[in-house]
Amino acid sequence: MSDRSQALPAPEGEFVETSRFGGLSILFALLALVGLGLGVVGAMVDPAQFSFSWLFAFAFFFTLCAGCFFWTLVHHATDADWSVVVRRQLENIASLLAVMAVFLVPVLLLRHHLYGWMNIPPGHEEALDVKRPYLNWHFFLTRAIVFFAFFIIATQLLRRFSVRQDKDGNPRFTFWMRKLSFISLPMFALCLTFGACDWLMSLNYHWFSTMWGVYIFAGTAGSSMSLLVLVITALRNAGYLQDVVTVEHYHVMGKWMLTFTVFWAYIGFSQYMLIWYANMPEETQYFLVRNTESWWALSMLLVVGRFFGPFAILLMQGFKKRPRRLCLLAAWILCMQLLDMYVIVVPALHGTGVHVSIWDFVPLLGMGATLAFVYLRLLGRTSVFPVRDPRVIESINYQN
Amino acid sequence: MDSASTAPGVISDEKPLARVPLVLNKRNFSWLTERISGVVEQRAPRWWWVTFTITATIATFGLFCLGYQISTGVGTWGLNHPVGWAWDITNFVFWIGIGHAGTLISAILFLLRQKWRTSINRSAEAMTLFAVMCAAIFPGIHVGRVWMAWFLAPVPNSWGVWPNFRSPLMWDVFAVSTYFTVSVLFWYTGLIPDLATLRDRATSKIKKLLFGIFAVGWRGSNRNWRHYEMAYLLLAGISTPLVLSVHSVVSFDFATSILPTWHTTIFPPYFVAGAIFGGFAMVLTLMIPARAIFKLQDIITPQHIDKMAKIILLTGSFVTYAYTMEFFMAWYSGNQYEKFAFFNRVFGPYWWYWWVGMLFCNMLSPQLFWFKWCRRNIYVVYFVCMCVNAGMWFERFIIIVGGLHRDFLPSSWGMFYPTWVDIWTFIGTLGIFTSLFLLFIRFLPMIAMSEVKIVLPEANPHHGPTADHPPLVATGKERT
């Protein structure tokens, strides 16, 4: 690698020319309108199917945004140097959690189609009555508000401090962000865990697993790192971050993708194996549905596609240093995250086999396009990397 | 920080963000060699003999207890119905857990490019080996007929009996033995350059011969280093899944059952986090006195202690998270047996194990490490480490005995009372562990000299002397 010790970014930073993405923005806005408009139709035509399709898309995009929030927190808490140059994009994507809060509203509105426990009056099922103090609508709603309040406040503050540091380079902001991240890490763990329990695990209120929060986290962290690779590469292809992000950063991102590929498999395997081994009906019901009929094929695809394939490929050092190839795998991992969320959510509706509906695609389109539109708006407002972060030079010159 | 590493437009003083050197007081290669080799080359100090005599005596009594138990039978322990596992397996899990920090520091932190690991990895790895040795004693002897332990190996015998490959106890044998083998290889590979240093400095023929044999012809050539670094990286890669697998498999011993408090899906990562938690506490327990006695404060600096304290905080917090999830899911499941078992954990006859061991020692005491002044105060750090050492033993005890002593049938409930053999076998393993560690620091370099030298600024190829990169002093004298 050439010597980069003299590389210095321009003090004013690197800004995206928003006019370049004007057309793309309009396209996303149109797609969002179409997607969300069709979503309204779907909610009226086939509310049961649409509820699950919406929740599936929500879970996918929520985990991606929450994962980027997690990586921002880890960056600050560990005082990392490599991730400075990619941090602004993490902050931008994490800020989209505010949009995700809006997308939770349909889940709340369609709750009676999603969560069977909401339709059972007290006194009808003892197994449910014992968990009523937790599984009741008011507490469910309160928790959702608390979780998103935390996500929104923390992500907005982190981004705001980071952007303010672009102006004067004051290291005071670094310390503020670090402190905020320390406080946020345990909060993040609790909010993600109980969010996952509320929105996903309680689809079947009989089922439970202490590993559930960790399992969702494992997919969250790995897929968001893959998303970061794609976003950074897209920016580089558009001519930005050229002298800032190097193959060394790709190598690190690839290593984190590998780490969380393995971690996801470790957590998934442990959860599955322990439930299979103990063979208790109250636990096996979750996997019985997903391992029988046509769901079996998707579950197997997940095992092979989310772990065995990426694991073997990411072991190779050279692969991680080739952005184009890494992007292909990152896109594949995102597809697998999509599949993972599908296999978690939709079997709760179609327990007898895979039943793909047109409504599965509509929320994906609507949410994805809206998030992409807002992301492009955020992208143009600040430098594409935190130009006056005290560690930015260390980051640019980072070597594995 | 020099100007080349300062961001443009920064207006304030950046001192607090400057990276603190890993070795303080600008110590050079020569000083490191002298100071670390000196520990091995000088005569053993009096305190060493006194301490070794005490620990070796305890170890000997522990070995006597083992002999007594083997010759008489497991009836010498306090095991009964329903408590068929107690101190034996508690001690096993406790020691295996302690054996996790060494390989974590050596392998995972190596892969994560955490250069601060170099000051502590050697002794942590040695500690790992000794802890695994202590751990291996217990499954071996708890089977009762130790002479039949070879049945654990998948060897066909005259009765055509094979081990039950579906049993996690069987997996344990493979997991622990693989872990121990790879840890020995990793530790020894890292030792080779330092053994060569000791060989070259040896003043007696016998020392030269012995260090020479074990240094396997190391000459420090470019070729030697290339092979060494490749081997080290590969071993780090192999060790990393092993660190996770060993305690995961240990957790399977419990979690594959259907016993309340044992069967819970979060056990594997929870056990691994707990192991790293306890392992780091033990590393600090040993290294804090060692650095003071051997005046190694410039190598094992407050920064190292601070970072280890943060890992204790992180893993301790994950353990707290796991405890919380266990309680929450026990309640959420609506399963009366689960609910009772956890209620019994907190308010049953072993209540104080939970309140003191799990709540105070494991959950609350590491929270002190949120505060920098606690991480920088050696007494506070030591206090927390001792809490964690005790807390992790209590945790294993309450998981094992707490899960067994009041099971599904109230008429078969019972209590566990340890006998003197139980107690002294455990204390004996503490003696074996400390004796082996004392022998280690006497005969082998307790800090990886070659690795610490690599993280000095002098070892970094650069364009010329700067504030961070002073010119190499070749005189071998101490630069202050």
Side-chain angles (χ1 to χ4, degrees), chain B residues 171-182:
Chain B
W171 308 340
D172 249 355
V173 176
F174 293 108
V176 175
S177 53
T178 313
Y179 181 65
F180 183 75
T181 311
V182 174

Side-chain angles (χ1 to χ4, degrees), chain B residues 46-66:
Chain B
R46 183 171 293 170
W47 71 262
W48 187 91
W49 282 110
V50 172
T51 320
F52 185 72
T53 308
I54 295 168
T55 58
T57 308
I58 294 170
T60 310
F61 193 69
L63 292 174
F64 163 75
C65 288
L66 286 180

Side-chain angles (χ1 to χ4, degrees), chain A residues 193 209-210 266 277 283 391, chain B residues 17 166 248 263-265 321:
Chain A
T193 300
S209 167
T210 44
Y266 166 62
Y277 202 112
E283 290 184 337
R391 300 229 184 277
Chain B
L17 281 166
R166 273 198 178 187
S248 298
H263 175 69
T264 178
T265 48
Y321 168 88

Side-chain angles (χ1 to χ4, degrees), chain A residues 231-245:
Chain A
V231 168
I232 294 294
T233 311
L235 283 171
R236 278 175 58 81
N237 288 345
Y240 305 102
L241 296 169
Q242 294 292 332
D243 297 324
V244 177
V245 174

